[in-house]
């Protein structure tokens, strides 16, 4: 029996390199350009995923041309005003982006776009923080994300520091979200399917702000939702259809390797190959593309969070299998074009 992942205070699964090495497969369509629209970088007691680890994954054979870093409370400043401490994360990631942009580590441009953190509960008072983040990003800051995924059941937890309920409905948060439009920044939102009515209300209340809904809209499969996939699918699809009617919302396809989704690939003797992943995810990915269209959808790795369940190479092979019957233009949007558009890549000579 393969070693099982160790229990941890973190909601994220432990990454086990020896286990991941048990599944290897050839890269499909190695020339297809990919922008990894969502990943993290951190150094925590539960694991390290820094520049070298990121570049190792990028170098698995797929044509990763650029990546988008998304906030994860990495390298905050130790001192100074509380609201300004997250500026340290963007300073740190901009350094990694500059390292990648040197070209000494290959053609991929890691962290070409940065999604940072500014507490939007500050409302319009978040403006100085946003301006400091933009300065720290040296032109690479493209969005903001706050911790918003919340559920009353303690079995549903995907963040080490869960937020209070109702942030997306708060007038202060909405004022902060509207502020992003003035700075030409997107707002990433991670919410469970039980919060999609709040996401819809936010999109309606902030029509000028570009919203990016993360991780397929968070269909849950753990805790009270275990064994209820068909029921959750119906609820999720109805809510996603309503959100798709909002032109200011784009969607990230991925994040389906988290325990809150009810997935248990990590319990297998060996990691899943791409064919198994594609079969499991087909109903979700096809529904998302059907509702939002390729021009509003973008693929993401969500690494290293999802790395506890499968390898980087198999993940992108699965996405390629799932879109094999689509046109070159449609696939171009899904794998790179939408991310380029939403996160304004290639602006300012950054990439």
């Amino acid at each position: 029996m393969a070693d099982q992942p160790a229990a941890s205070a973190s909601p994220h699964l432990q990454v086990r390199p020896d286990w991941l090495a048990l599944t290897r497969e050839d890269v499909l369509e190695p020339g297809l350009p990919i922008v990894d629209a969502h990943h993290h970088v951190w150094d925590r007691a539960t694991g390290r995923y820094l520049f070298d680890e990121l570049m190792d994954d990028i170098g698995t054979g797929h044509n990763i041309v650029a990546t988008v870093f998304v906030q994860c409370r990495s390298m905050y400043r130790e001192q100074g005003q509380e609201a300004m401490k997250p500026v340290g994360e963007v300073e740190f990631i901009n350094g990694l982006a500059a390292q990648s942009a040197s070209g000494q580590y290959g053609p991929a441009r890691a962290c070409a776009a940065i999604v940072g953190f500014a507490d939007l509960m500050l409302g319009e008072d978040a403006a100085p923080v946003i301006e400091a983040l933009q300065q720290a990003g040296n032109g690479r800051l493209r969005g903001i994300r706050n911790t918003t995924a919340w559920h009353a059941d303690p079995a549903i937890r995907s963040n080490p520091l869960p937020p209070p309920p109702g942030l997306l409905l708060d007038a202060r948060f909405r004022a902060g979200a509207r502020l992003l439009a003035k700075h030409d920044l997107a707002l990433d939102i991670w919410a469970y399917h039980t919060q999609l009515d709040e996401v819809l209300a936010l999109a309606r209340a902030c029509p000028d702000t570009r919203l990016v809904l993360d991780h397929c809209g968070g269909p849950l499969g753990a805790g009270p939702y275990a064994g209820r996939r068909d029921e959750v699918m119906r609820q999720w699809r109805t809510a996603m259809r309503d959100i798709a009617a909002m032109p200011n919302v784009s969607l990230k396809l991925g994040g389906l390797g988290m325990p809150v989704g009810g997935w248990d690939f990590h319990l297998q003797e060996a990691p899943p190959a791409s064919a198994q992943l594609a079969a499991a995810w087909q109903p979700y990915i096809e529904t998302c593309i059907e509702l939002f269209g390729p021009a509003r959808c973008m693929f993401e790795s969500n690494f290293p969070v999802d790395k506890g369940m499968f390898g980087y190479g198999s993940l992108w092979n699965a996405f390629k299998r799932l879109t094999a019957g689509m046109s070159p233009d449609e696939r171009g949007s899904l794998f790179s074009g939408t991310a380029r558009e939403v996160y304004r890549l290639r602006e300012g000579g950054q990439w």
Side-chain angles (χ1 to χ4, degrees):
M1 187 71 175
D3 290 339
Q4 298 302 309
S8 168
S10 170
H12 308 317
L13 292 171
Q14 178 186 355
V15 174
R16 297 171 288 157
D18 291 345
W19 180 76
L20 289 170
L22 295 175
T23 297
R24 300 288 188 185
E25 57 183 295
D26 293 336
V27 171
L28 303 176
E29 302 174 81
L32 180 65
I34 295 171
V35 173
D36 183 344
H38 189 114
H39 71 82
H40 309 291
V41 173
W42 61 47
D43 190 358
R44 297 177 174 175
T46 54
R48 172 176 290 187
Y49 195 77
L50 297 174
F51 185 79
D52 288 346
E53 290 79 10
L54 172 63
M55 297 308 292
D56 283 347
D57 281 332
I58 288 175
T60 53
H62 292 282
N63 184 20
I64 310 296
V65 296
T67 75
V68 179
F69 166 85
V70 179
Q71 63 82 218
C72 55
R73 300 184 324 282
S74 187
M75 305 298 178
Y76 277 18
R77 293 174 176 174
E78 184 179 15
Q79 298 178 337
Q81 297 178 10
E82 194 67 29
M84 289 292 182
K85 288 182 178 180
V87 176
E89 180 173 55
V90 174
E91 291 173 327
F92 169 58
I93 298 302
N94 183 61
L96 300 188
Q99 186 176 356
S100 176
S102 73
Q104 295 186 41
Y105 303 89
R109 293 297 175 256
C111 309
I114 300 173
V115 177
F117 175 88
D119 184 2
L120 297 184
M121 288 294 284
L122 295 171
E124 294 189 357
D125 289 338
V129 181
I130 293 171
E131 291 163 4
L133 291 169
Q134 289 180 310
Q135 183 176 3
N138 192 32
R140 293 186 174 95
L141 189 77
R142 293 291 188 266
I144 297 295
R145 188 176 77 154
N146 282 201
T147 302
T148 54
W150 177 88
H151 197 281
D153 194 304
I156 304 297
R157 187 169 71 96
S158 58
N159 193 290
L161 298 174
L167 286 185
L168 299 177
L169 299 175
D170 195 289
R172 294 167 295 177
F173 185 92
R174 292 180 174 184
R178 294 188 190 100
L179 190 63
L180 299 184
K182 302 175 183 178
H183 292 269
D184 199 14
L185 296 173
L187 174 60
D188 266 62
I189 295 290
W190 170 213
Y192 305 134
H193 83 272
T194 50
Q195 297 175 276
L196 292 180
D197 57 337
E198 299 178 24
V199 175
L200 177 62
L202 179 69
R204 288 172 171 165
C206 307
D208 295 327
T209 302
R210 299 193 310 276
L211 303 186
V212 183
L213 182 58
D214 296 344
H215 313 329
C216 295
L220 294 171
Y225 305 97
R228 297 168 57 191
R229 274 204 194 279
D230 290 344
E231 178 186 348
V232 168
M233 171 69 79
R234 289 191 294 270
Q235 297 171 355
W236 168 80
R237 182 188 174 95
T238 297
M240 292 290 279
R241 181 191 60 209
D242 293 340
I243 293 173
M246 301 302 299
N248 58 327
V249 183
S250 299
L251 181 64
K252 287 182 179 175
L253 308 181
L256 296 175
M258 290 183 281
V260 293
W263 308 101
D264 58 3
F265 302 120
H266 59 297
L267 299 179
Q268 298 180 177
E269 291 282 349
S274 60
Q276 182 184 1
L277 293 174
W281 296 343
Q282 182 177 3
Y284 301 93
I285 299 299
E286 288 190 351
T287 297
C288 287
I289 296 173
E290 173 193 342
L291 293 175
F292 283 80
R296 292 167 61 197
C297 292
M298 63 194 97
F299 284 121
E300 54 160 332
S301 72
N302 195 37
F303 267 40
V305 175
D306 286 19
K307 195 173 182 177
M309 287 208 186
F310 41 76
Y312 200 79
S314 297
L315 168 69
W316 290 104
N317 271 353
F319 292 152
K320 290 175 180 180
R321 290 181 184 278
L322 285 165
T323 58
M326 302 181 70
S327 72
D329 285 347
E330 290 171 328
R331 299 182 91 213
S333 293
L334 291 164
F335 283 95
S336 62
T338 301
R340 293 178 197 253
E341 181 71 21
V342 170
Y343 292 112
R344 298 185 286 113
L345 292 169
R346 291 196 183 276
E347 285 190 11
Q350 293 294 346
W351 172 58

